Amino acid sequence: MLGVCLRGAHATVRKNCVRSPLTPLQSYRCYSTSRSSGASRVVALGLVTVGGGVGGTLLYSKWDPKFRAAVEKNVPYSDWLLGLALGPAPEDARLPVRKQVELNQPPSMLDKPKTDPKAKSQKSVKEAAEASGPESSLVPPPPAQSIQEASAEATQIISAISEVPSVPATCDSEAAADECKECHKHADVSETAAVASAEPLKERPVDEVTARLVQQDQEEEKLLASLSSRLEDSLASSAKATLQAIGAQEVALQAVTQHTRKLKDAMEAEAPSDEKSTQWKELEAALAERTAAVKDATTTLSKANEALEGLKSVINQAKGQKVAAARPLILAAEENLHQMVVDLDKVVSKVRSAESEAKVVSQYTELVNEAKQQFQREVSSLTPEIQANWKGLTGKLSVDDLNALIAHAHRRIDQLNRELAEQRVREQIHIEAALEQQKVEDHKVLDAAVTTAMGHVKEEARLNLEQKLAELREVMEAEMRTQLRRQAAAHTDHVRDVLKVQEQELRAEAEQVLNSKILDQETRYRQLTQEQLDNFTLDMNAAYARLKGIEEAIDSHAVAEETAREAHQLWLSVEALSYALKSAGADSPSMPLEDAAEAVRASCHDDFCSALASALPQESLQRGVYSEASLRARFNALRSLARRVALIDESRNSLYQYFLSYLQAALLFEDQQEAPPSQLSGADLDPFKLLSYASYCLEHGDLELAAKLVNQLRGEARRVVEDWLTEARLTLETRQVVSLLSAYANAAGLGTTQAP
Amino acid sequence: MTSENMADEYGRKWDRCLADTAVKTATGLGVGIVLSVLLFKRRMWPVSFGSGLGLGMGYSNCQHDFRSPYLIHGHTVKVNA
């Protein structure tokens, strides 16, 4: 574009300024005016194009981020510009969207089992179960509770699906328990069924079971022991009480019978008065005894009843606890109880009969006493002075009294006869009534007796039944046991067979496993040993190598030191040699280099060095070499001579030629010193030129080039400078060798820092 | 040393040459004088002849001396087949 602009400018200039020949100033003006009109147009056009391009790029990059990326990649600093103009690149906006999508996904998957635990559709449940696994790895930590719940839900769901009672993980057990509680609350059959089946199917470990069994046995035994002890205690106490009661009752019975007998005797017997009084006293004693005995009997009876009640309650309790082993005990206790109850009842009935008899007798006595008293009252009313014990007072009674008494007696007899007749008349009725009453009473008694007897019989029957049941039970148990034994035997046989087979299988399996494991172990062992060996060998090798290396290092170090020493020696000898070279005087050669060369040769330990050392020319060794300065001086002297014989060569060597050459030398002027060209042309082979070149070289210390140039001389000039050339050659050779040696010594000396 | 010889050789040659020429010229002169006195009745020509002879001999010797490095002595070698 710049070219175009310039071309345009030139064209306009040419157009405008070609007409008149202008001075340079005017042409400048012409140039300036043309630029303002034509070039400005071009410039404006260019600016517009550039601006349009940039704006279009901006707009398009705003619209298409890929284009923007391409532009930024290819055009430097465009990213800064685009950033300034458009804002940051839109690639960042893409990532948060994706992340959000991802983030949105797992919470939704997480919420699914939470919000919808009763997922009926298996597919969604399976997805949730599947997703609940991997999503935990995707999402950065959700709350632990939800994961626990989710996992618990997942396990439950899985168990519900697969109908395998999956025991939830121990860490989730609490959550599972909570969940289980919740599930129990829910009215979801499948889940509750699954969960309910899951819960009781919680396997308790074997020792727990055995422990529980043992515990149960122990409890049973304890219970049994306690029961039996209680039964025994209560039995004992009740037996004691019953015996006591029976004893008391018998005592009471005896007392009552005695009392009645005594009463009867007292009533019937007509004994003398003192005996009567003793009798009455005895009677009173007997009565007291009877009452005491009866009271005692009643108390003991009540106690016995209480005891029996207690025993009954204990028996019932024992029955209620349903301990099988206690049944015979219970049975025995019941029998005992029954027996005691029966005895007690018998005795009580005896006592009652005795008491009734006693009542009858007492009634009779009362009647008799009443009659007697009445009679006595009658008698006393008739004969007030007569007291009781009228039988003894036979002499004291008066006639009136006697008559009154007899009359009273007669009247009484009549009354009594009348009563007797009445009684006889009413005898039947009375007897019937009495019979009725007796019947009723007999009925009552019979009923009572019957009820008691029935009760007893029932009790006996029940006891018998119980006994029979117990026996039967025992028999059944025995039979069951035999059957079970048979079954057990069969089972054991079967189990034995199965076990045998299983054992074989397992053995085979185990052997296989064992073999494989042994093989593995062996191979591993071998591997390990091999590894160990290898490692050991490696270590040994490494150590050996290191040792070797160390040794080598030491040796090489020693060698290096040796070489260093040698190199130093060499260097020193070379230095001596070069110093010997410098010992050349102004016109005399240096000292003979023989010694120095010998020293160098001595300190040479390789072929290169010795070759170099032997490359020293003999002359230098024996005579020494001239220094450059002396050579230079000589050359200057030789130069004039060479100039003088410049024309002389093989073909021109007459004296006339000598004269001519002398003349030439006198008349020809050349530069004292002229720098030699890099390549000699034919014209440069002129002796004078050569000499000036050589002079220049010598002045600038380049003996070699000077020698080379001088070597180009031909003819007599050459013959004249031959010696000088030889000397120069010698010096150059020697110098070269010495410099080589020196370089070599320096290199060797430098090189001795490393192993050669 | 050699170079001195070479450079000096030139000088020495010239010295020798000149000396020789002088001697020869002198000798020729002398002989010429003698002959001219003895045989040739004191004419000039034997003197100049003699000196010329001497000079020429000296010159020739000188030239030969100066040429001597360039002289090639050839030998013919008969090859017996």
Side-chain angles (χ1 to χ4, degrees):
Chain A
M1 209 161 106
L2 192 63
V4 163
C5 197
L6 280 171
R7 260 185 266 129
H10 280 306
T12 45
V13 159
R14 259 186 263 117
K15 249 195 288 178
N16 294 345
C17 313
V18 79
R19 279 183 285 120
S20 51
L22 295 162
T23 58
L25 231 67
Q26 277 181 326
S27 67
Y28 272 122
R29 259 192 282 128
C30 179
Y31 269 62
S32 63
T33 48
S34 67
R35 191 167 283 165
S36 61
S37 61
S40 64
R41 244 189 290 149
V42 169
V43 162
L45 200 68
L47 278 172
V48 162
T49 317
V50 162
V54 165
T57 316
L58 277 172
L59 280 171
Y60 190 60
S61 59
K62 186 171 184 179
W63 187 72
D64 186 10
K66 278 190 192 149
F67 177 73
R68 179 178 173 157
V71 164
E72 282 181 4
K73 198 168 68 165
N74 290 321
V75 179
Y77 296 111
S78 61
D79 53 352
W80 169 78
L81 188 70
L82 285 167
L84 210 63
L86 298 171
E91 300 97 58
D92 304 329
R94 252 186 251 146
L95 283 170
V97 172
R98 268 208 211 108
K99 262 203 188 129
Q100 215 170 22
V101 168
E102 279 181 2
L103 276 170
N104 279 332
Q105 254 190 351
S108 70
M109 281 200 245
L110 194 61
D111 289 336
K112 238 189 185 172
K114 250 212 268 186
T115 54
D116 188 16
K118 309 164 197 162
K120 298 284 185 181
S121 61
Q122 292 209 351
K123 212 166 72 165
S124 63
V125 157
K126 270 188 185 151
E127 275 178 3
E130 277 174 308
S132 64
E135 47 96 313
S136 57
S137 62
L138 260 178
V139 177
Q145 190 66 30
S146 63
I147 270 196
Q148 254 190 345
E149 285 177 5
S151 64
E153 286 286 355
T155 50
Q156 279 171 21
I157 286 160
I158 288 166
S159 67
I161 292 165
S162 58
E163 293 182 0
V164 168
S166 68
V167 180
T170 50
C171 64
D172 290 334
S173 59
E174 293 168 6
D178 294 336
E179 288 297 331
C180 278
K181 279 183 205 151
E182 284 184 22
C183 286
H184 283 306
K185 285 179 205 158
H186 293 324
D188 197 355
V189 176
S190 63
E191 280 214 332
T192 48
V195 165
S197 66
E199 240 190 297
L201 282 172
K202 260 192 230 168
E203 268 184 45
R204 300 201 203 96
V206 179
D207 2 307
E208 216 188 301
V209 166
T210 48
R212 268 185 88 96
L213 279 172
V214 163
Q215 210 181 13
Q216 265 182 357
D217 287 340
Q218 277 178 357
E219 279 177 10
E220 271 189 28
E221 271 178 40
K222 261 192 277 180
L223 210 63
L224 190 67
S226 69
L227 263 176
S228 58
S229 66
R230 255 189 295 160
L231 274 172
E232 275 174 24
D233 288 340
S234 50
L235 257 177
S237 65
S238 55
K240 225 182 359 178
T242 319
L243 280 170
Q244 258 183 7
I246 287 170
Q249 294 284 353
E250 288 205 346
V251 160
L253 180 72
Q254 283 224 349
V256 161
T257 45
Q258 212 178 23
H259 175 72
T260 45
R261 211 172 7 92
K262 285 228 171 102
L263 202 59
K264 255 193 217 162
D265 290 342
M267 284 294 103
E268 289 172 4
E270 295 285 340
S273 56
D274 50 352
E275 279 187 27
K276 259 291 188 246
S277 60
T278 51
Q279 258 190 346
W280 284 118
K281 275 186 196 142
E282 277 179 11
L283 200 64
E284 278 176 15
L287 179 65
E289 217 184 288
R290 176 195 154 170
T291 46
V294 163
K295 219 195 293 181
D296 200 21
T298 45
T299 50
T300 48
L301 183 68
S302 62
K303 268 192 215 161
N305 277 333
E306 274 179 32
L308 284 172
E309 286 296 311
L311 178 63
K312 214 182 257 184
S313 71
V314 161
I315 285 171
N316 285 333
Q317 219 178 28
K319 270 197 212 161
Q321 281 183 350
K322 290 188 191 167
V323 176
R327 223 174 270 135
L329 283 170
I330 291 170
L331 214 59
E334 276 183 352
E335 273 190 9
N336 280 335
L337 176 72
H338 172 69
Q339 200 67 40
M340 284 190 280
V341 162
V342 160
D343 290 340
L344 210 60
D345 286 342
K346 264 195 224 160
V347 163
V348 163
S349 62
K350 267 194 220 159
V351 167
R352 239 181 247 140
S353 62
E355 272 191 351
S356 63
E357 221 180 280
K359 209 191 282 180
V360 162
V361 170
S362 67
Q363 273 181 357
Y364 169 67
T365 50
E366 274 181 27
L367 274 172
V368 164
N369 278 340
E370 214 187 300
K372 268 194 193 161
Q373 275 186 6
Q374 202 177 1
F375 185 68
Q376 209 173 19
R377 260 185 274 125
E378 285 179 10
V379 166
S380 65
S381 69
L382 285 174
T383 55
E385 305 101 37
I386 310 291
Q387 300 148 10
N389 247 0
W390 54 274
K391 282 185 183 164
L393 299 170
T394 42
K396 294 180 190 167
L397 288 171
S398 64
V399 178
D400 288 329
D401 288 329
L402 280 167
N403 288 338
L405 209 63
I406 289 165
H408 180 73
H410 275 295
R411 264 205 307 275
R412 193 86 178 132
I413 286 166
D414 283 334
Q415 195 194 0
L416 283 170
N417 280 337
R418 257 187 278 135
E419 273 185 7
L420 190 66
E422 253 184 67
Q423 279 296 330
R424 270 197 199 128
V425 165
R426 285 196 192 137
E427 189 185 334
Q428 200 67 25
I429 299 164
H430 283 160
I431 280 170
E432 278 179 10
L435 272 175
E436 283 289 333
Q437 207 180 5
Q438 190 66 33
K439 234 189 243 178
V440 164
E441 277 197 26
D442 273 348
H443 247 286
K444 267 197 240 163
V445 165
L446 186 70
D447 285 338
V450 161
T451 46
T452 48
M454 260 205 7
H456 289 158
V457 164
K458 263 193 205 162
E459 194 70 26
E460 254 184 64
R462 194 180 65 79
L463 285 170
N464 276 341
L465 182 69
E466 293 264 323
Q467 230 173 12
K468 285 231 172 65
L469 271 175
E471 278 173 19
L472 198 66
R473 203 174 280 132
E474 271 183 40
V475 164
M476 298 313 296
E477 287 256 353
E479 204 172 311
M480 186 161 224
R481 219 169 269 139
T482 47
Q483 293 294 340
L484 279 173
R485 233 179 276 137
R486 253 189 238 152
Q487 200 174 32
H491 181 66
T492 45
D493 284 341
H494 172 68
V495 163
R496 203 179 294 142
D497 291 339
V498 167
L499 274 175
K500 236 185 246 173
V501 168
Q502 238 182 24
E503 185 194 334
Q504 281 178 359
E505 279 178 19
L506 283 172
R507 185 167 286 159
E509 226 182 271
E511 266 191 43
Q512 208 180 15
V513 167
L514 181 71
N515 282 340
S516 71
K517 283 249 163 71
I518 283 174
L519 217 71
D520 284 342
Q521 284 292 332
E522 260 191 52
T523 48
R524 260 188 62 203
Y525 173 70
R526 272 204 213 102
Q527 221 177 20
L528 280 171
T529 46
Q530 197 60 40
E531 249 184 66
Q532 256 191 354
L533 267 173
D534 288 343
N535 283 342
F536 184 66
T537 324
L538 273 171
D539 288 340
M540 284 302 293
N541 284 343
Y544 188 68
R546 278 178 65 196
L547 185 67
K548 276 276 166 220
I550 287 167
E551 277 182 7
E552 264 191 43
I554 290 171
D555 288 340
S556 68
H557 197 68
V559 164
E561 274 194 28
E562 184 70 30
T563 30
R565 204 176 50 75
E566 284 168 8
H568 285 150
Q569 228 174 355
L570 180 65
W571 186 83
L572 281 170
S573 56
V574 166
E575 277 297 301
L577 186 58
S578 62
Y579 188 73
L581 266 185
K582 287 198 198 103
S583 68
D587 281 319
S588 59
S590 63
M591 53 190 270
L593 303 176
E594 182 70 45
D595 301 330
E598 191 59 46
V600 166
R601 229 175 285 130
S603 57
C604 261
H605 294 279
D606 64 341
D607 296 337
F608 181 65
C609 185
S610 42
L612 278 179
S614 51
L616 279 170
Q618 281 294 327
E619 279 292 319
S620 70
L621 290 174
Q622 270 137 32
R623 191 208 60 186
V625 289
Y626 280 94
S627 66
E628 195 178 321
S630 63
L631 282 174
R632 196 176 23 224
R634 246 174 59 189
F635 183 76
N636 289 329
L638 273 176
R639 186 181 172 170
S640 51
L641 185 57
R643 284 180 77 244
R644 258 185 270 145
V645 294
L647 269 177
I648 311 299
D649 59 11
E650 301 90 21
S651 52
R652 300 189 195 92
N653 48 18
S654 62
L655 279 174
Y656 179 58
Q657 293 292 336
Y658 271 94
F659 170 68
L660 284 176
S661 147
Y662 189 79
L663 197 65
Q664 186 188 32
L667 291 175
L668 206 98
F669 294 103
E670 79 279 5
D671 290 329
Q672 186 66 17
Q673 291 162 22
E674 197 180 324
S678 54
Q679 273 183 328
L680 287 175
S681 57
D684 293 323
L685 290 175
D686 180 43
F688 297 96
K689 271 229 165 119
L690 283 170
L691 286 171
S692 63
Y693 287 158
S695 218
Y696 177 87
C697 292
L698 272 178
E699 285 306 310
H700 286 86
D702 195 354
L703 182 61
E704 192 181 331
L705 192 54
K708 280 186 201 161
L709 288 161
V710 163
N711 196 30
Q712 300 306 317
L713 287 169
R714 295 275 169 264
E716 188 65 28
R718 175 55 182 274
R719 272 190 69 241
V720 157
V721 298
E722 189 74 38
D723 291 326
W724 184 90
L725 205 57
T726 320
E727 284 300 316
R729 272 208 204 98
L730 262 179
T731 308
L732 281 170
E733 250 184 77
T734 313
R735 271 220 314 228
Q736 189 182 43
V737 168
V738 166
S739 72
L740 273 173
L741 277 170
S742 162
Y744 174 74
N746 282 335
L750 276 174
T752 52
T753 51
Q754 304 156 15
Chain B
M1 207 152 87
T2 321
S3 74
E4 277 168 13
N5 269 346
M6 279 308 292
D8 288 349
E9 185 82 16
Y10 186 73
R12 268 201 294 279
K13 267 187 189 171
W14 270 116
D15 290 345
R16 247 200 331 267
C17 183
L18 284 172
D20 188 45
T21 309
V23 162
K24 282 195 168 53
T25 313
T27 310
L29 191 72
V31 167
I33 286 172
V34 166
L35 280 182
S36 114
V37 163
L38 288 179
L39 290 174
F40 297 109
K41 299 166 220 181
R42 298 216 184 148
R43 285 220 204 166
M44 208 50 213
W45 67 269
V47 176
S48 53
F49 181 72
S51 65
L53 199 74
L55 200 73
M57 279 199 296
Y59 183 88
S60 182
N61 270 354
C62 202
Q63 195 169 271
H64 183 81
D65 199 8
F66 274 115
R67 265 188 194 171
S68 56
Y70 300 106
L71 284 175
I72 303 165
H73 299 276
H75 303 277
T76 51
V77 176
K78 274 190 191 161
V79 174
N80 293 325

